[in-house]
Amino acid sequence: MTTTTPIWVPQRVAADDLGISERTLLRWRSAGLLKLGVHYRRKFPNPNSPLLYKLELVEQAMAEAFARDFRTLELAGV
């Protein structure tokens, strides 16, 4: 029997799977590392709706951010 991973996962699941806090996801959204519609979206078209994340793309964004030179990150304000 084969199980499939959902494309979009709730914020709590994303944070747990990535080994970070939900607050860290908020900071990354605020810093622009995670883009609306690409890395995350609302479950319903309502500003109070819970957020969902694409784990594969968030992990890719994390890897790219960590691969950058720390001096570049300091200058970018990230």
Side-chain angles (χ1 to χ4, degrees):
M1 183 168 167
T2 306
T3 60
T4 59
T5 304
I7 294 175
W8 295 97
V9 298
Q11 180 167 282
R12 179 169 294 164
V13 173
D16 288 345
D17 285 356
L18 296 168
I20 59 175
S21 69
E22 292 181 57
R23 180 85 173 135
T24 297
L25 287 171
L26 168 64
R27 285 194 300 268
W28 289 352
R29 289 193 319 268
S30 298
L33 291 173
L34 302 179
K35 307 287 185 215
L36 178 63
V38 176
H39 301 102
Y40 70 98
R41 69 175 179 88
R42 294 268 174 207
K43 187 171 183 177
F44 302 107
N46 175 333
N48 295 324
S49 178
L51 293 172
L52 301 173
Y53 290 83
K54 271 193 177 176
L55 282 180
E56 184 177 329
L57 294 180
V58 173
E59 287 175 332
Q60 183 179 4
M62 284 175 55
E64 290 171 4
F66 291 137
R68 288 197 256 166
D69 183 17
F70 74 91
R71 291 173 294 234
T72 305
L73 292 174
E74 294 272 332
L75 294 174
V78 176

